[in-house]
Amino acid sequence: MSAEELGFDPSIKKKKKSKDVAPVSADSETTTVASTEDDDLFSGLKKKKKKSKDKKDTSEEPSADVTDDLSESFEGMKLKKKKKKKVVAADIDEFEKQLQDAGIDESIVNETSKKSDLIPYSQLLDRFYGILKEKNPELAGGQQQKLKIPPPEVLRDGNKKTIFANVQQISQVLQRNPSHLIQYLFAELGTSGSIDGEQRLIIKGRFQSKNIEGVLRRYIQEYVICRTCKSMNTELKREAANRLHFIVCKACGSTKSVTSIRTGFTANVGAMKKKRV
Amino acid sequence: MSNIENLKSFDPFADTGDDETELTNYIHIRIQQRNGRKTLTTVQGLPDEYDLKKILKVIKKDFACNGNIVKDEELGEVIQLQGDQRLKVMEFMVEALGVKKKNIKIHGF
């Protein structure tokens, strides 16, 4: 995963997937229309059957079963769209048989069932995906809701200090402890700093917004993104027993250990150097 | 049974070869801000088999910068260079020293 796909606001790069999605959604109007037709057809069918049943009271047990089955499948349809296609396709044949058994006039029924057969597969598929996307966006093609990370607000405080205004907000979006993020920032930038009264981070040294952004990207890649599923919905947990940090993914449930933040070598510069010597 | 070739073709528990547990000693290249626009580049964690003095000599000439070797108690010898030489140092390491790129980590902004 390249750094550009990390989901920062300024570089609004759409994922490839979103392109694929577009044509389908454009078709959604037609599909919804088709779907309503579809439902109407079936509901009509059901009513007709009941009427016919009323007419002929002669041992209609099979047909009654069928209606029950169908109505059940219709109710289930609204919840589980996936099943619906299979169930209907399979049921229509059975249904017709049982209708014949019941001795119901087939001419009307046949008409409707033929119509329903005529709905092209692609349309049904479109409809299925449309509904699935509406109700269960997570299942539809794995299109994840992209985490929007606000761009870092970086101000200059005088000549030698930099204010990073929205650390708290960013760490909240990333579901990380702000102190962890700050620790990483300081280690990477090789400086120190403090937090002021308004929960802003004051960094010693001059840094620009893009500099901080680059470091943030690396932080996200190292400590936020799940290595297994690339999800950003993760948690950083510290195991008390072995003092290791683990990324726990909330999407796929995987855990992976991450290295602790190390400051590394920092040279003493300027006044400090003179003091030491 | 052991004659059946199909059954002994694959051992799922065998090592896959790319073992990530192998300790890779990263070379860290960092940058530090000094007064004003000036910066300092530090190279930490070079393997012992390299002669730091010679490397420094070549680097100083190639990059037209000054530099020195600092001895740190924990981290061993560290090369310090004047200015932002991070990318140049990395290229140099890969080409002249034959260090693998994945073993180099560049820090800083």
Side-chain angles (χ1 to χ4, degrees):
Chain A
M1 183 173 235
S2 65
E4 280 115 31
E5 288 180 37
L6 279 179
F8 273 101
D9 266 349
S11 58
I12 301 175
K13 286 197 173 178
K14 284 187 180 175
K15 273 191 177 177
K16 300 147 212 163
K17 273 173 189 168
S18 61
K19 278 178 193 168
D20 293 343
V21 169
V24 180
S25 60
D27 281 352
S28 64
E29 268 190 47
T30 56
T31 52
T32 48
V33 171
S35 67
T36 49
E37 271 181 15
D38 197 15
D39 282 354
D40 284 346
L41 286 177
F42 280 108
S43 61
L45 196 147
K46 211 163 81 182
K47 277 176 195 168
K48 268 160 204 162
K49 267 207 45 118
K50 272 182 183 170
K51 271 181 199 167
S52 60
K53 190 186 154 196
D54 290 338
K55 281 176 194 170
K56 303 174 183 179
D57 281 330
T58 56
S59 71
E60 301 279 13
E61 272 184 309
S63 72
D65 274 2
V66 172
T67 48
D68 282 350
D69 273 356
L70 268 181
S71 58
E72 264 176 26
S73 68
F74 284 139
E75 278 166 8
M77 184 173 69
K78 276 175 189 170
L79 297 174
K80 295 174 185 178
K81 261 69 189 180
K82 215 169 192 176
K83 270 190 180 175
K84 184 233 155 190
K85 268 188 290 177
K86 285 180 199 164
V87 170
V88 169
D91 269 11
I92 281 176
D93 288 353
E94 259 186 48
F95 179 56
E96 276 176 2
K97 264 187 203 167
Q98 282 176 319
L99 273 184
Q100 278 180 344
D101 290 345
I104 290 169
D105 186 19
E106 242 199 320
S107 61
I108 315 158
V109 178
N110 245 349
E111 216 179 80
T112 54
S113 63
K114 259 183 192 172
K115 260 189 193 172
S116 69
D117 280 343
L118 280 179
I119 297 172
Y121 175 71
S122 61
Q123 223 175 73
L124 285 173
L125 197 66
D126 280 355
R127 178 182 169 233
F128 164 65
Y129 273 112
I131 298 166
L132 188 68
K133 219 167 273 161
E134 214 175 89
K135 305 264 161 97
N136 279 349
E138 283 171 24
L139 295 176
Q143 195 191 20
Q144 290 171 345
Q145 278 190 339
K146 237 174 157 185
L147 262 182
K148 289 243 169 145
I149 294 148
E153 288 167 26
V154 176
L155 317 164
R156 182 65 71 69
D157 181 19
N159 201 18
K160 285 190 169 175
K161 284 178 193 163
T162 311
I163 295 180
F164 183 5
N166 54 354
V167 223
Q168 298 285 336
Q169 195 192 343
I170 287 175
S171 60
Q172 232 168 48
V173 173
L174 299 176
Q175 304 178 47
R176 278 308 104 92
N177 195 345
S179 66
H180 186 257
L181 175 60
I182 291 168
Q183 202 187 343
Y184 182 82
L185 282 175
F186 285 160
E188 280 295 286
L189 300 172
T191 55
S192 55
S194 55
I195 296 175
D196 75 352
E198 296 161 49
Q199 299 295 306
R200 297 182 303 182
L201 182 66
I202 297 173
I203 310 168
K204 279 184 191 164
R206 297 176 191 183
F207 300 99
Q208 286 172 324
S209 168
K210 60 179 180 189
N211 297 339
I212 304 278
E213 197 181 302
V215 179
L216 264 181
R217 276 184 209 282
R218 254 181 283 150
Y219 177 80
I220 291 166
Q221 268 191 347
E222 209 164 329
Y223 291 103
V224 180
I225 281 187
C226 169
R227 310 289 158 98
T228 315
C229 67
K230 307 276 191 255
S231 160
M232 290 184 30
N233 189 10
T234 57
E235 211 176 354
L236 195 69
K237 274 188 181 162
R238 183 176 177 276
E239 206 133 293
N242 45 19
R243 295 184 192 174
L244 291 174
H245 290 272
F246 288 92
I247 297 179
V248 181
C249 181
K250 287 179 185 168
C252 68
S254 75
T255 56
K256 189 183 189 299
S257 66
V258 286
T259 55
S260 54
I261 298 168
R262 285 214 205 125
T263 338
F265 176 79
T266 46
N268 288 314
V269 195
M272 281 295 289
K273 197 176 180 180
K274 278 172 198 164
K275 263 186 197 171
R276 230 191 174 183
V277 175
Chain B
M1 275 301 269
S2 61
N3 289 336
I4 303 173
E5 289 295 315
N6 271 344
L7 285 182
K8 56 179 180 179
S9 61
F10 177 64
D11 179 13
F13 297 107
D15 279 338
T16 49
D18 49 9
D19 200 1
E20 277 188 35
T21 54
E22 185 190 334
L23 254 181
T24 45
N25 283 318
Y26 286 110
I27 297 171
H28 297 274
I29 302 173
R30 291 197 171 80
I31 193 166
Q32 225 178 321
Q33 285 196 336
R34 284 178 58 215
N35 36 358
R37 274 173 53 92
K38 289 169 186 165
T39 49
L40 202 67
T41 308
T42 60
V43 183
Q44 171 204 319
L46 269 175
D48 288 336
E49 59 252 34
Y50 298 112
D51 188 344
L52 287 195
K53 268 188 186 172
K54 278 183 184 170
I55 292 173
L56 184 68
K57 222 172 194 176
V58 178
I59 284 182
K60 276 162 76 169
K61 197 157 195 182
D62 280 5
F63 302 164
C65 71
N66 206 353
N68 65 336
I69 298 169
V70 181
K71 280 190 182 119
D72 192 274
E73 288 133 28
E74 292 168 34
L75 308 163
E77 292 185 321
V78 178
I79 297 180
Q80 266 184 29
L81 300 167
Q82 284 178 11
D84 184 358
Q85 315 285 357
R86 287 176 295 165
L87 289 178
K88 285 192 209 162
V89 168
M90 192 186 77
E91 268 170 40
F92 177 83
M93 299 253 168
V94 173
E95 279 168 27
L97 302 183
V99 181
K100 278 173 193 158
K101 214 170 184 178
K102 64 171 185 180
N103 290 347
I104 302 177
K105 268 194 180 172
I106 294 186
H107 301 264
F109 39 81

